[in-house]
Amino acid sequence: MPAEVAGSAAAPAPLPDRAQSAPGPLFRLPALPSWWRPWGATALDVLIAVGCAWFDAQFRSAFPDGHLHSLLPQGWETWVTVVAALLLVLRRRFPVVVAAVITGGLVLGTGSVLATMVAFYSLARHTPRLRTVFVAAPAGLALVVGVAVLQLRTYVPHHGGNFAAIPVLIAFAGLIAVVVPVLLGLYPRTPRQPWWWEHRSAMLFDVLLVLLFPLANPIALVSGLNGAEDDPLMLPPAVFVVLVMAQGMALIWRRRYPDTLAAVAVVLLPLVLPSFSILPVSLYALAKYGSSRRNLLLGSGAAAVVLIGWTAFTTEFDAERFVPFTVFLVVPSVVVPVLFGMYRGAKRSLVVTLQDRADRLEREQHLLASQARMEERTRIAREMHDVVSHRVSLMVVHAGALEAGAGGQGVAADTGKLIGDMGRQALNELRQVLGVLRLNDAEQQVPLSPQPTPEDLATLVEESRAAGMEIAFDVIGEPPATDSTVQPTLYRVIQEGLTNAHKHAGKVPARVEVRYQKDAVRVIVENEAPNGPVPSLLPSGGHGLVGLGERVTVLGGTFEAGALENGGFRITATVPLP
């Protein structure tokens, strides 16, 4: 093939230019860089950048001059804030650079509050390497926390605020500006089943639970930081804060170690006060994820006892305050979490059970379908063997005689006509079998073909006689009127027996006997021993007798095949009548 022809055949012809075949639009938008496409994403980035610039400028102008920390000359802060926010149009292409510039602007004294959140979200969402995110996000968090400390120290003296609330505000600033945006940006990129969590949503929920736990009761946290006069054990504020943070961080393992978490919550309950305790969450996790009801009973009972003892100690056994205060603590901290956890655990177990059952049924269905396919393949292979083997065997025998030239031209013509008839019969039967395989619609039906009759048995024997075999054919008894399921099996048994005689014994005397009894029909096909070695002109797959045995046993009959003492071979099949 020439190179020009090969090239034209391998590559399709170029499509005609649409601009040449049809008039173009009056105004065509300019092409954008690949990292800015599509237009919808570009418009969204521009809208986000303009919105963040406007919000941050308004946020900055709400504070009087000198009330916020800034290293820039007076009047420059707002302009730098707007410029930093407008850089968000590049957040998809350069997320690390945009986050670094906006965070650096915070160090200089700008007020890019909303822009910082969007920048760290883009950092986690669009950075190709997670390692870069895990390095840049903590560095940005440290800078944001440091800037928050500087801003609060500059702002609080002008308003006479309480310094005890500064840690809460600093933690809130780092959480909102960096931690939550990074987690939201990483959400689609985390694995589907990370570590011991069932799915990504469960992991993010537990992480947010740990981060938001110190802010669950900010009023009590501020009062606890102001002093420890309400603490029965008079713990120092620093120790108090460390214990509260430590047990809050332990919530990350509430699904994997619910028993241990519940024990830690009960032990730390008198030290961290009920308002800061993780007892309700730990008892809920124990009831939902715990595997032992005994541990649940012990944990909830111990928690109730500790709460009652703590209440009695703080109320100095005042009966008017003891009973309502105890009920107020025990019911929401122990009873409600345990009951709700047990309900959720039972529902979770039911869902898991139903899912396992559905998976098992699906596997069983696949196995049944595979078994059905194998059975159908076996049946089709058996039909193909029965249809083709006998006809082709006779054709080969007659072709051998024709090749030898025995009998003259008249016999050769008759033999050729006989071979043609047998070939056409084989093709018709083969076409019927293959027609079943081509059906692709459930509404289509398999084309019906005439079933073998007792007269067809005689025709089958005559075909073998025409091939030169001497066959004695005996029919004993009268065939029943309703034997549509039996006659095809009898036909195949005789067909296979005569085919095997042609293959392995040659032109030897054979006997076919069909005996109709009262409740069964018995078929015997046997041949004598060959006179000498038979030339193996016909291939044999060894599946014919196996298929016959399957046919007979499916109908509830018996099948025997084996060699005789005189060197011959016999096939015997007994099929019950319907």
Side-chain angles (χ1 to χ4, degrees):
M1 180 182 292
E4 295 81 0
V5 178
S8 62
L15 296 175
D17 190 1
R18 186 174 295 179
Q20 299 177 0
S21 59
L26 297 178
F27 175 73
R28 185 183 300 274
L29 294 174
L32 289 176
S34 59
W35 48 271
W36 256 4
R37 295 176 180 173
W39 278 98
T42 305
L44 178 63
D45 290 344
V46 173
L47 182 62
I48 289 175
V50 173
C52 290
W54 177 85
F55 177 83
D56 289 341
Q58 294 296 323
F59 179 81
R60 180 73 193 188
S61 61
F63 295 91
D65 294 337
H67 285 211
L68 293 179
H69 171 77
S70 177
L71 299 178
L72 297 174
Q74 187 176 0
W76 286 35
E77 300 91 342
T78 302
W79 292 106
V80 175
T81 299
V82 172
V83 172
L86 291 177
L87 290 177
L88 291 175
V89 295
L90 305 175
R91 67 187 186 93
R92 300 176 189 268
R93 178 64 173 174
F94 308 105
V96 179
V97 175
V98 171
V101 171
I102 292 178
T103 309
L106 291 177
V107 176
L108 295 177
T110 63
S112 302
V113 180
L114 186 60
T116 304
M117 300 170 58
V118 178
F120 279 100
Y121 170 81
S122 303
L123 173 69
R125 185 71 176 88
H126 301 291
T127 302
R129 293 184 178 181
L130 288 179
R131 182 174 59 184
T132 304
V133 178
F134 292 150
V135 173
L141 178 62
L143 288 176
V144 169
V145 170
V147 171
V149 172
L150 293 177
Q151 296 290 358
L152 289 174
R153 287 187 175 182
T154 305
Y155 177 79
V156 170
H158 292 280
H159 296 272
N162 189 356
F163 283 92
I166 289 180
V168 179
L169 295 177
I170 293 174
F172 183 78
L175 184 68
I176 296 301
V178 179
V179 176
V180 173
V182 169
L183 290 178
L184 292 177
L186 289 176
Y187 175 75
R189 299 171 57 178
T190 53
R192 292 186 176 274
Q193 191 172 356
W195 294 296
W196 60 85
W197 285 281
E198 298 175 353
H199 42 76
R200 297 174 298 184
S201 300
M203 181 193 70
L204 292 178
F205 180 82
D206 287 350
V207 172
L208 292 177
L209 181 64
V210 172
L211 296 175
L212 296 175
F213 175 75
L215 304 177
N217 195 350
I219 298 177
L221 181 59
V222 172
S223 63
L225 293 173
N226 286 332
E229 61 275 5
D230 294 334
D231 190 2
L233 299 181
M234 302 297 291
L235 292 176
V239 178
F240 178 79
V241 172
V242 170
L243 288 178
V244 171
M245 295 299 179
Q247 67 165 359
M249 293 181 62
L251 289 175
I252 197 73
W253 292 285
R254 69 185 187 93
R255 300 173 190 264
R256 190 170 188 180
Y257 306 110
D259 301 335
T260 305
L261 184 63
V264 171
V266 173
V267 171
L268 295 181
L269 178 60
L271 304 178
V272 297
L273 304 179
S275 57
F276 295 109
S277 177
I278 59 172
L279 183 65
V281 180
S282 63
L283 290 180
Y284 168 80
L286 180 60
K288 182 178 180 180
Y289 302 105
S291 58
S292 174
R293 292 301 179 188
R294 182 183 63 180
N295 293 343
L296 176 61
L297 181 61
L298 292 176
S300 57
V305 170
V306 172
L307 282 175
I308 293 174
W310 185 86
T311 305
F313 182 78
T314 55
T315 59
E316 298 179 355
F317 298 99
D318 186 359
E320 295 182 357
R321 298 174 54 194
F322 175 73
V323 175
F325 199 35
T326 301
V327 174
F328 177 76
L329 288 179
V330 173
V331 172
S333 299
V334 179
V335 178
V336 174
V338 169
L339 293 179
F340 188 61
M342 292 177 64
Y343 165 74
R344 294 290 299 176
K347 185 177 180 180
R348 177 172 174 268
S349 300
L350 179 60
V351 171
V352 171
T353 302
L354 294 177
Q355 183 66 34
D356 292 341
R357 184 179 300 177
D359 294 340
R360 185 173 65 254
L361 291 177
E362 185 177 0
R363 289 193 299 269
E364 292 178 356
Q365 184 178 5
H366 286 308
L367 290 176
L368 291 176
S370 178
Q371 183 179 0
R373 285 194 297 269
M374 292 301 297
E375 293 178 353
E376 187 65 16
R377 290 175 181 175
T378 303
R379 188 189 67 82
I380 293 174
R382 185 172 60 241
E383 290 291 336
M384 295 283 290
H385 175 273
D386 294 341
V387 166
V388 177
S389 177
H390 178 72
R391 303 291 182 187
V392 175
S393 298
L394 293 180
M395 292 169 61
V396 172
V397 172
H398 284 291
L402 185 62
E403 182 180 3
Q409 295 183 354
V411 175
D414 295 338
T415 304
K417 181 177 180 300
L418 185 59
I419 291 175
D421 294 339
M422 290 183 180
R424 283 187 290 271
Q425 292 177 5
L427 288 176
N428 290 331
E429 294 178 356
L430 185 61
R431 188 179 296 110
Q432 293 176 1
V433 175
L434 295 179
V436 178
L437 301 178
R438 294 192 181 99
L439 296 180
N440 54 6
D441 191 354
E443 296 181 356
Q444 295 182 0
Q445 296 182 356
V446 180
L448 300 179
S449 60
Q451 296 296 321
T453 62
E455 290 75 12
D456 294 328
L457 302 181
T459 303
L460 189 63
V461 173
E462 291 298 329
E463 292 177 353
S464 296
R465 287 175 177 171
M469 179 179 290
E470 182 181 349
I471 303 175
F473 179 56
D474 298 325
V475 178
I476 303 173
E478 293 293 333
T482 58
D483 59 347
S484 58
T485 59
V486 176
Q487 287 297 335
T489 303
L490 301 181
Y491 187 87
R492 296 304 182 191
V493 170
I494 298 174
Q495 186 182 63
E496 181 64 22
L498 295 178
T499 302
N500 287 339
H502 283 293
K503 288 181 179 180
H504 306 292
K507 299 179 180 180
V508 297
R511 181 174 71 90
V512 176
E513 178 181 316
V514 181
R515 184 183 297 271
Y516 293 98
Q517 302 173 356
K518 181 179 181 182
D519 55 353
V521 57
R522 181 182 179 88
V523 178
I524 299 176
V525 180
E526 63 180 14
N527 59 272
E528 297 182 1
N531 298 326
V534 179
S536 179
L537 300 177
L538 299 174
S540 178
H543 302 290
L545 297 180
V546 177
L548 285 184
E550 293 175 355
R551 285 180 178 273
V552 174
T553 53
V554 164
L555 297 178
T558 58
F559 179 81
E560 296 178 0
L564 300 176
E565 295 180 357
N566 58 1
F569 195 84
R570 175 185 292 175
I571 296 176
T572 305
T574 303
V575 182
L577 293 175

